[in-house]
Amino acid sequence: MRALKDILFGVSITAVSGSTSVMVNSICFDSRIVTMGDVFVAIKGTITDGHEYIEKAIALGAKTIICETMPVTIVDDVTYVEVDNGNKALAIMASNFYDNPSKNLKLVGVTGTNGKTTISSLLYQLFKKAGFKVGLISTIKIMVDDTEYKTSHTTPDALTINHHLKLMNDVGVEFCFMEVSSHGIHQKRTEGLAFEGAIFTNLSHDHLDYHKTFAEYRDTKKLLFDNLPKKAFVLTNVDDKNGLVMLQNTKARKYTYALKTYADYKAQILENQFNGQLLKIDGSEVWSKLIGDFNAYNMLAIYGTAQLLGLEKLEILRLLSELENVDGRFQYFISKERITAIVDYAHTPDALKNVLDTINKLRTGNENVITVVGCGGDRDRSKRPVMGHIASEMSTTTIFTSDNPRTENPDEILKEIEAGVEVQNVRKTLTIESREQAIKTACQLANSNDIILIAGKGHETYQEINGVRAHFDDYEMVQNLLKALNK
Ligand SMILES: CC(=O)N[C@H]1[C@@H](OP(=O)(O)OP(=O)(O)OC[C@H]2O[C@@H](n3ccc(=O)[nH]c3=O)[C@H](O)[C@@H]2O)O[C@H](CO)[C@@H](O)[C@@H]1O[C@H](C)C(=O)N[C@@H](C)C(=O)N[C@H](CCC(=O)O)C(=O)O
Ligand SMILES: Nc1ncnc2c1ncn2[C@@H]1O[C@H](COP(=O)(O)OP(=O)(O)OP(=O)(O)O)[C@@H](O)[C@H]1O
Ligand SMILES: N[C@H](CCC[C@H](N)C(=O)O)C(=O)O
Ligand SMILES: [Mg+2]
């Protein structure tokens, strides 16, 4: 139990009704799960407004209400605190409630359109191998050193973040690497966290349903850097045209990485093969099991971050070569008939282009590239035709299929993807709504030495249709289907 006034420390308050000395059981922002003695924080969301549920929260036992507008009816024995921003208040209160756990470890945030999971997961791996206790908050999972927790968001809500950071404090975690999504920044899920540093990967087309314009999306990402303190570091990719934009208003120490231009941390790709690539990082040769130009950027960002966090150059180089692929990121196997099946989380135009580029560069003869891809429902519609164009242009055959249609009609999503296919590529495409049937068809079409790319869902183990999630695992599926076909 904590006193309300303690957890309100640092919150911008505009009015109070009632006592702030009351004791608080826990903080909650969903009236459906309020318990006796809770603080209920009313949040203005994208679908509804938490202010509409204040009475319901009180009926379930909430003793404190945090709101942006005082309700008309004030209930006796309930404390009301009016704040200027509910999301911001929630984040600061969550931090206070868990004793500001981000201050007790070195927290590094990773933002950008692609590469966040790869970089944060590999930094987790590298620092574990270096002998530290490490934390990870990522799209795939949350790790409190060796203990794994499930997660539903890339950047969870502020209570979930701080709760897990506190668990990290309890077991003596020294470094934590976390993904910072644009939704996370916009909804202030990371407000009040003490970052030791932040990394910018790249910026390309995504989430224009939520942010409306590319400039708004870019400026949201930039806020992570704008809010860093002077002693923190920023490491930015200056080959990306928005790399320097991220540095414009930051007080933090600035560092850069690049393959193509002058930077603090530089790399060169010396050799690229299916099972790895040889890089020259900061003048030293290093083998990376992760392939593709985009992974050279990821390795370089990891190298720079590890140096900025105090690891020795030689140790970092040795550990870089030991890093293993992240689940669902260019995860592949070669079948009995030498068909290469690759599962990759490319769900943006840029990622899809990079992965297909990498595959096409590695083709040695006239192997076919058969791509299975779709686009998520209730997400950015404008990326659909672009991905349709890229897949059909860069593959021998493309099968468009469903990728979490959520509440949308799968046929409509598929039509929007098909609209981007140019006339000359139409004959190279098929549309099969069922993802299982689509993967099966790819397996039937594939001959020895061909490459099957299954893009968009990576590590995900479900397919969400009409709000229901059924088990679905691309990697498991393609393995079973190739085996069943005796290929
Ligand atoms: C669009 C979006 O980001 N939505 C997030 C947002 O929900 P919302 O704004 O829609 O909430 P709402 O339904 O309008 O409700 C408003 C408030 O009323 C409350 N409420 C609602 C109903 C009720 O009966 N009682 C009640 O108290 C809700 O708890 C909420 O506090 O706040 C919720 C609580 O934190 C999030 O779970 C939810 O994530 C949804 C599920 C989601 O799908 N988010 C995705 C898009 C997302 O965040 N993705 C990024 C990754 C992007 C990337 O990596 O590329 C991520 O970081 O995961
Ligand atoms: N540095 C990079 N630049 C461009 N594309 C990349 C990069 N790293 C990975 N990718 C591609 O993007 C896909 C997603 O990578 P990753 O999961 O690391 O990104 P993310 O930023 O965490 O995505 P999300 O926004 O869904 O959390 C990968 O499967 C790969 O195809
Ligand atoms: N973090 C991304 C993941 C997209 C993955 C794709 N499989 C989909 O479901 O659209 C999002 O929530 O938009
Ligand atoms: Mg991610």
Side-chain angles (χ1 to χ4, degrees):
M1 295 276 266
R2 315 290 303 263
L4 176 62
K5 58 174 180 269
D6 294 337
I7 60 171
L8 283 173
F9 183 76
V11 175
S12 174
I13 296 171
T14 44
V16 178
S17 156
S19 164
T20 57
S21 300
V22 285
M23 298 306 281
V24 168
N25 185 25
S26 58
I27 306 169
C28 183
F29 57 85
D30 186 341
S31 64
R32 290 162 291 197
I33 49 169
V34 162
T35 55
M36 188 54 79
D38 277 0
V39 173
F40 174 69
V41 186
I43 306 280
K44 287 183 178 152
T46 56
I47 298 168
T48 183
D49 183 349
H51 290 78
E52 288 174 19
Y53 307 96
I54 290 178
E55 282 178 23
K56 210 177 145 212
I58 293 172
L60 284 173
K63 291 284 173 235
T64 304
I65 302 297
I66 310 291
C67 50
E68 290 180 16
T69 322
M70 286 285 191
V72 183
T73 329
I74 298 287
V75 178
D76 286 345
D77 290 344
V78 173
T79 303
Y80 295 82
V81 181
E82 190 189 79
V83 297
D84 61 359
N85 184 302
N87 274 316
K88 197 168 168 182
L90 173 66
I92 294 170
M93 289 169 71
S95 211
N96 289 334
F97 186 79
Y98 289 106
D99 290 325
N100 299 298
S102 60
K103 290 190 175 153
N104 303 324
L105 45 72
K106 288 186 171 157
L107 179 65
V108 176
V110 188
T111 202
T113 306
N114 292 305
K116 301 184 293 297
T117 300
T118 308
I119 291 176
S120 51
S121 305
L122 294 182
L123 277 165
Y124 168 85
Q125 267 190 45
L126 188 138
F127 276 74
K128 282 293 289 173
K129 285 175 189 291
F132 294 99
K133 289 196 173 184
V134 194
L136 171 71
I137 299 178
S138 80
T139 309
I140 305 181
K141 59 191 173 188
I142 296 178
M143 295 298 296
V144 175
D145 201 31
D146 292 325
T147 310
E148 181 176 330
Y149 296 85
K150 284 203 182 334
T151 185
S152 57
H153 287 76
T154 288
T155 306
D157 65 81
L159 283 169
T160 307
I161 295 174
N162 283 282
H163 168 65
H164 287 91
L165 289 175
K166 174 71 175 165
L167 293 177
M168 291 178 201
N169 286 177
D170 292 346
V171 297
V173 162
E174 289 162 88
F175 297 93
C176 174
F177 302 100
M178 82 175 283
E179 290 186 51
V180 183
S181 68
S182 59
H183 291 79
I185 298 171
H186 188 249
Q187 291 165 28
K188 306 198 185 299
R189 301 176 196 160
T190 54
E191 193 82 21
L193 295 179
F195 284 103
E196 179 77 15
I199 306 167
F200 171 73
T201 62
N202 48 65
L203 203 68
S204 64
H205 184 157
D206 206 7
H207 304 309
L208 297 187
D209 52 331
Y210 185 84
H211 297 288
K212 307 300 175 218
T213 64
F214 189 76
E216 197 187 308
Y217 175 47
R218 177 198 62 210
D219 293 345
T220 304
K221 294 272 186 201
K222 184 171 165 285
L223 285 174
L224 174 67
F225 306 100
D226 292 354
N227 293 333
L228 287 174
K230 231 166 93 183
K231 66 174 181 52
F233 69 82
V234 180
L235 179 60
T236 191
N237 171 6
V238 280
D239 280 345
D240 187 282
K241 62 175 182 297
N242 285 297
L244 287 173
V245 175
M246 299 297 141
L247 302 182
Q248 274 168 5
N249 300 91
T250 190
K251 297 183 280 300
R253 295 177 286 130
K254 305 175 181 72
Y255 299 90
T256 54
Y257 67 99
L259 298 187
K260 299 181 191 149
T261 182
Y262 175 79
D264 296 312
Y265 300 103
K266 289 260 323 159
Q268 234 182 305
I269 301 172
L270 301 177
E271 228 181 278
N272 219 334
Q273 300 168 14
F274 224 102
N275 61 347
Q277 60 182 332
L278 185 65
L279 304 175
K280 192 170 195 176
I281 295 185
D282 231 2
S284 305
E285 286 190 8
V286 55
W287 180 252
S288 155
K289 293 184 196 171
L290 286 83
I291 65 167
D293 295 8
F294 58 95
N295 274 319
Y297 281 100
N298 294 340
M299 293 300 260
L300 191 54
I302 293 160
Y303 173 79
T305 305
Q307 281 225 338
L308 290 166
L309 290 173
L311 262 57
E312 291 297 327
K313 176 175 172 174
L314 285 180
E315 187 184 22
I316 305 170
L317 291 171
R318 180 177 62 79
L319 295 174
L320 279 179
S321 64
E322 291 180 16
L323 300 179
E324 298 288 347
N325 245 331
V326 179
D327 282 356
R329 276 56 180 177
F330 218 93
Q331 192 179 353
Y332 74 94
F333 67 90
I334 299 170
S335 76
K336 197 173 118 210
E337 295 275 301
R338 296 193 317 283
I339 295 165
T340 302
I342 306 165
V343 168
D344 188 83
Y345 197 47
H347 56 78
T348 65
D350 188 53
L352 190 60
K353 185 176 168 298
N354 289 335
V355 168
L356 281 166
D357 230 7
T358 303
I359 293 172
N360 281 318
K361 276 190 198 155
L362 292 167
R363 282 164 79 180
T364 50
N366 52 1
E367 318 82 308
N368 295 314
V369 177
I370 305 166
T371 300
V372 177
V373 68
C375 291
D378 302 332
R379 292 288 188 274
D380 190 348
R381 287 173 61 184
S382 61
K383 69 181 178 185
R384 295 174 186 168
V386 190
M387 289 178 67
H389 166 70
I390 291 169
S392 58
E393 180 73 23
M394 299 179 77
S395 319
T396 324
T397 304
T398 303
I399 307 175
F400 297 124
T401 191
S402 295
D403 175 341
N404 295 330
R406 301 194 174 84
T407 65
E408 282 193 67
N409 176 350
D411 280 336
E412 296 301 319
I413 300 176
L414 289 164
K415 283 201 187 94
E416 291 178 21
I417 300 174
E418 287 168 350
V421 179
E422 288 184 27
V423 180
Q424 71 277 14
N425 291 327
V426 172
R427 63 177 177 78
K428 299 199 289 172
T429 69
L430 290 168
T431 297
I432 304 174
E433 188 194 308
S434 149
R435 198 168 177 94
E436 177 171 355
Q437 289 306 318
I439 297 176
K440 190 169 182 182
T441 306
C443 294
Q444 285 163 340
L445 291 174
N447 295 311
S448 288
N449 299 323
D450 284 351
I451 301 166
I452 300 175
L453 167 69
I454 306 171
K457 291 180 64 63
H459 64 282
E460 290 176 359
T461 51
Y462 59 84
Q463 174 83 307
E464 186 176 329
I465 305 175
N466 265 328
V468 180
R469 285 187 173 190
H471 177 80
F472 198 100
D473 181 328
D474 283 350
Y475 198 76
E476 186 182 278
M477 187 63 77
V478 67
Q479 259 183 328
N480 291 341
L481 289 168
L482 281 173
K483 205 181 274 169
L485 290 167
N486 203 18
K487 284 188 169 178

